[in-house]
Amino acid sequence: MKLRLDQIKKTLGNRLVLDGISLDVSQGEMICLIGASGSGKSTLLRCINLLEPLDDGAIWLDGHDIATPGLDPQPVRQKIGIVFQSYNLFPHMTALENVLLAPRRITKKSRADLMPHVGELFERFGLSQHMDQYPDQLSGGQQQRVAIVRALAMKPEIMLFDEITSALDPELVGEVLEVLKALKREGMTMILATHEMTFARDVGNRVCFLDRGRILEQGPPEQVFNTPKEPRTRDFLARVLNRG
Amino acid sequence: MTTPSSGLTRRQEYERRQRRRSLVIAGSSTALIILAIVLLVPLAPGWERVQNSFFNAEVFAKSFPKLLSAFLVDVAIFAWSAPLIAILGLAIALARDVRNPVLYPLRLFGMVYTDVFRGVPVVLVVYLIGFGIPGLGLPRPWNSPYIWGTVALVLTYSAYVAEIFRSGIESVHASQRSAALSLGLSSSDSMRFVVLPQAIRRVIPAQMNMLIALQKDVALLSFIGPVEIFRQAGVFKSLLANFTPYVVAALIFLVITVPTTRLADHLISKQNRARS
């Protein structure tokens, strides 16, 4: 088991956002979290990356509970990358500077030492000619791919994706989803919150339906999409699938 | 659709006519007002006296060179206090943001500091520090009011500048900090490389305004000794029994402050355009 979530609870304000989430994630697995806005998908991902402290429960990564209160979150975050819906690139840095910042500060390696790996990442995701551009000179799809490269540059063991295509124009969604497919082929362990149902069905290993801070139903995509057991899952799927 | 012979669209033709019209109106109304002032003000009963004591060409010529060199004192005080203010202001702003309990005294200091120095009139701080500290009987050159007056300005302005930096830091969206932290950067690195550079860029126009205010407040040091332009003008006033030196001093200030004000306004509007 790569990652195990054990009864995670989280309140924001006085709203219970995560109400006892448990989930086992194997090495190389792609988990797709689906569910309505406010069902807790984003908060769950932010908790796994330790951007939000848990109220209760544990997160086991390679046998260590990374959610132990008071633990230094920095080494954990280096192992778990996250990409956000709104890209969150640093606007005052070029694409390359965005990507190099964390590896340079954390590994203390020189730019020359890092360039082979980083250059290859840019190359692989078709961004080589955009290295020296600033985020506002890039399209949404390019920005999001740079954000993915930035997270990958830290050589994480797990990647979290928080609705990374939701802010994109429809014609740009494809190029970002291609990146996810490539990562899956390479065996990256991934958890993504997504509204791309077709993608979840075709590419995901497992789909979890979140509802009011709980995993109401989970299983292989064909099972969850074709024969959902819970009425609330059926309702949700009927609403999102009929739309497009 | 036919295009007019001038090569302009109908819309452009119309806008050009409108522009010409407003130019003519603005020009003639301004000319009218200036004419009225020039003709009417000299009709006032005391005009001759005022003209003689405020706009005296002879006094102007006599006092100008010395006032200009006295202004260099203002420039010098300004030039070495501005960088100190920037550094101290930034340090205070950052001190108010520390979360480590060990450093709590620093945070408390930052809070008290900004409250105290923003709460007391600049001229009072100048008096208290400029007269008080040399009064301790320090050896030369440490008893110079020139030094302690400048220290007073630095302390006061740092408090305001710190608040502006802090508002800049707070204006950077939390998601930027999240993104930096999520990569495994420490919180001080996130501040230094991600938040601060953006914050500083955003507050440059506001800090320019502080710079302009500082240029003028240097004249407050005249109260405690250094012979800068305002004090020099006072000397001339007593000597020549004429107020023209003050007008000269005001003009010299304007030569410096108007361009800086314009630059600040330009930066602000550029930033507003970039945001919208």
Side-chain angles (χ1 to χ4, degrees), chain B residues 49-67:
Chain B
R49 234 178 26 245
V50 169
Q51 188 188 25
N52 191 40
S53 54
F54 282 89
F55 304 102
N56 189 317
E58 200 183 319
V59 175
F60 191 107
K62 202 184 271 178
S63 61
F64 184 79
K66 259 205 147 159
L67 284 173

Side-chain angles (χ1 to χ4, degrees), chain A residues 59-177:
Chain A
I59 300 174
W60 298 92
L61 174 67
D62 294 330
H64 301 283
D65 179 8
I66 58 170
T68 310
L71 198 78
D72 181 9
Q74 261 185 268
V76 174
R77 290 182 184 138
Q78 290 161 28
K79 289 190 202 168
I80 305 181
I82 186 167
V83 182
F84 305 91
Q85 177 179 347
S86 49
Y87 332 136
N88 297 359
L89 291 180
F90 310 135
H92 58 298
M93 298 182 186
T94 63
L96 183 60
E97 288 165 350
N98 262 277
V99 173
L100 282 177
L101 175 65
R104 282 175 86 173
R105 294 300 300 170
I106 293 161
T107 67
K108 303 286 177 197
K109 281 188 190 157
S110 72
R111 185 191 170 103
D113 285 339
L114 293 163
M115 265 331 266
H117 176 229
V118 167
E120 190 208 9
L121 285 173
F122 272 96
E123 179 74 45
R124 178 140 52 102
F125 299 123
L127 293 164
S128 300
Q129 69 274 40
H130 301 299
M131 274 192 199
D132 297 320
Q133 283 176 316
Y134 285 87
D136 62 4
Q137 296 170 308
L138 299 173
S139 74
Q142 289 164 343
Q143 288 189 58
Q144 195 56 294
R145 283 183 286 151
V146 172
I148 295 172
V149 169
R150 182 173 72 176
L152 289 175
M154 287 305 296
K155 301 187 179 157
E157 298 167 14
I158 298 176
M159 283 288 288
L160 312 173
F161 297 95
D162 186 5
E163 298 189 19
I164 58 168
T165 55
S166 299
L168 295 175
D169 290 335
E171 76 273 19
L172 301 177
V173 169
E175 63 189 65
V176 173
L177 293 181

Side-chain angles (χ1 to χ4, degrees), chain A:
Chain A
M1 200 56 56
K2 183 70 189 163
L3 181 78
R4 158 172 276 163
L5 310 183
D6 185 15
Q7 285 297 318
I8 293 183
K9 288 205 168 103
K10 171 75 185 170
T11 356
L12 287 176
N14 44 20
R15 203 168 74 87
L16 187 60
V17 188
L18 299 179
D19 185 10
I21 298 238
S22 297
L23 183 68
D24 289 346
V25 185
S26 312
Q27 177 73 47
E29 201 179 6
M30 181 194 262
I31 308 257
C32 295
L33 307 174
I34 61 169
S37 316
S39 57
K41 307 186 295 288
S42 292
T43 310
L44 179 60
L45 295 181
R46 292 176 66 87
C47 282
I48 299 174
N49 190 259
L50 307 184
L51 284 173
E52 300 281 355
L54 301 187
D55 293 351
D56 218 344
I59 300 174
W60 298 92
L61 174 67
D62 294 330
H64 301 283
D65 179 8
I66 58 170
T68 310
L71 198 78
D72 181 9
Q74 261 185 268
V76 174
R77 290 182 184 138
Q78 290 161 28
K79 289 190 202 168
I80 305 181
I82 186 167
V83 182
F84 305 91
Q85 177 179 347
S86 49
Y87 332 136
N88 297 359
L89 291 180
F90 310 135
H92 58 298
M93 298 182 186
T94 63
L96 183 60
E97 288 165 350
N98 262 277
V99 173
L100 282 177
L101 175 65
R104 282 175 86 173
R105 294 300 300 170
I106 293 161
T107 67
K108 303 286 177 197
K109 281 188 190 157
S110 72
R111 185 191 170 103
D113 285 339
L114 293 163
M115 265 331 266
H117 176 229
V118 167
E120 190 208 9
L121 285 173
F122 272 96
E123 179 74 45
R124 178 140 52 102
F125 299 123
L127 293 164
S128 300
Q129 69 274 40
H130 301 299
M131 274 192 199
D132 297 320
Q133 283 176 316
Y134 285 87
D136 62 4
Q137 296 170 308
L138 299 173
S139 74
Q142 289 164 343
Q143 288 189 58
Q144 195 56 294
R145 283 183 286 151
V146 172
I148 295 172
V149 169
R150 182 173 72 176
L152 289 175
M154 287 305 296
K155 301 187 179 157
E157 298 167 14
I158 298 176
M159 283 288 288
L160 312 173
F161 297 95
D162 186 5
E163 298 189 19
I164 58 168
T165 55
S166 299
L168 295 175
D169 290 335
E171 76 273 19
L172 301 177
V173 169
E175 63 189 65
V176 173
L177 293 181
E178 280 308 312
V179 172
L180 295 183
K181 283 186 196 161
L183 287 176
K184 176 149 188 286
R185 279 196 298 275
E186 289 160 27
M188 176 63 80
T189 309
M190 293 184 271
I191 305 177
L192 44 131
T194 187
H195 288 303
E196 299 292 333
M197 296 301 154
T198 318
F199 181 82
R201 180 176 1 213
D202 297 346
V203 187
N205 296 107
R206 186 148 39 113
V207 172
C208 300
F209 174 66
L210 264 74
D211 184 67
R212 299 177 194 170
R214 292 169 164 274
I215 296 181
L216 201 61
E217 180 163 4
Q218 61 172 307
E222 52 277 17
Q223 179 195 318
V224 174
F225 284 110
N226 299 340
T227 54
K229 289 195 278 286
E230 299 287 334
R232 296 188 67 89
T233 317
R234 279 200 292 273
D235 282 355
F236 173 75
L237 288 174
R239 263 182 288 136
V240 294
L241 295 178
N242 288 341
R243 201 184 41 193

Side-chain angles (χ1 to χ4, degrees), chain B residues 150-173:
Chain B
T150 314
V151 168
L153 282 181
V154 169
L155 291 176
T156 308
Y157 270 79
S158 298
Y160 287 97
V161 164
E163 281 304 286
I164 296 173
F165 275 133
R166 222 164 69 94
S167 72
I169 289 169
E170 277 164 16
S171 78
V172 176
H173 199 270

Side-chain angles (χ1 to χ4, degrees), chain B:
Chain B
M1 270 293 139
T2 55
T3 312
S5 53
S6 58
L8 297 174
T9 62
R10 281 172 72 195
R11 180 86 216 160
Q12 284 167 330
E13 283 276 5
Y14 171 76
E15 278 170 358
R16 199 164 71 164
R17 269 200 315 277
Q18 288 293 309
R19 255 199 316 277
R20 248 185 238 143
R21 218 176 87 117
S22 28
L23 262 176
V24 169
I25 294 175
S28 44
S29 79
T30 311
L32 216 68
I33 301 264
I34 290 175
L35 195 70
I37 292 172
V38 170
L39 291 177
L40 293 178
V41 171
L43 294 180
W47 169 242
E48 215 161 304
R49 234 178 26 245
V50 169
Q51 188 188 25
N52 191 40
S53 54
F54 282 89
F55 304 102
N56 189 317
E58 200 183 319
V59 175
F60 191 107
K62 202 184 271 178
S63 61
F64 184 79
K66 259 205 147 159
L67 284 173
L68 194 63
S69 63
F71 186 64
L72 290 181
V73 176
D74 293 76
V75 172
I77 294 173
F78 171 78
W80 72 280
S81 54
L84 289 178
I85 289 166
I87 294 166
L88 188 60
L90 189 58
I92 301 280
L94 291 174
R96 292 198 64 176
D97 250 14
V98 293
R99 281 157 216 207
N100 191 330
V102 179
L103 300 177
Y104 181 75
L106 204 63
R107 187 174 170 177
L108 187 72
F109 169 78
M111 235 159 68
V112 173
Y113 183 94
T114 42
D115 281 352
V116 168
F117 283 102
R118 286 194 309 159
V120 179
V122 193
V123 67
L124 263 178
V125 179
V126 169
Y127 258 92
L128 290 176
I129 293 182
F131 283 135
I133 295 188
L136 293 171
L138 299 174
R140 282 169 69 90
W142 295 106
N143 58 357
S144 149
Y146 177 86
I147 291 178
W148 293 107
T150 314
V151 168
L153 282 181
V154 169
L155 291 176
T156 308
Y157 270 79
S158 298
Y160 287 97
V161 164
E163 281 304 286
I164 296 173
F165 275 133
R166 222 164 69 94
S167 72
I169 289 169
E170 277 164 16
S171 78
V172 176
H173 199 270
S175 62
Q176 285 285 312
R177 195 167 170 271
S178 291
L181 291 175
S182 78
L183 293 167
L185 287 168
S186 64
S187 40
S188 61
D189 271 0
S190 303
M191 177 58 85
R192 180 173 153 203
F193 294 102
V194 175
V195 178
L196 259 193
Q198 299 183 55
I200 291 177
R201 245 165 263 206
R202 280 184 206 184
V203 298
I204 283 175
Q207 302 291 31
M208 289 287 293
N209 280 330
M210 291 310 295
L211 220 58
I212 294 161
L214 174 66
Q215 284 175 342
K216 294 180 292 177
D217 276 353
V218 169
L220 290 174
L221 297 202
S222 64
F223 291 124
I224 58 166
V227 182
E228 50 70 67
I229 188 165
F230 182 58
R231 197 176 177 93
Q232 183 65 51
V235 171
F236 274 123
K237 181 211 69 178
S238 313
L239 209 63
L240 307 169
N242 192 293
F243 289 105
T244 309
Y246 286 130
V247 175
V248 178
L251 288 175
I252 292 176
F253 268 110
L254 284 177
V255 168
I256 298 291
T257 48
V258 168
T260 7
T261 318
R262 289 277 136 240
L263 180 62
D265 288 350
H266 170 73
L267 290 176
I268 291 170
S269 66
K270 202 167 107 182
Q271 200 171 60
N272 288 345
R273 258 179 285 131
R275 282 234 190 109
S276 58

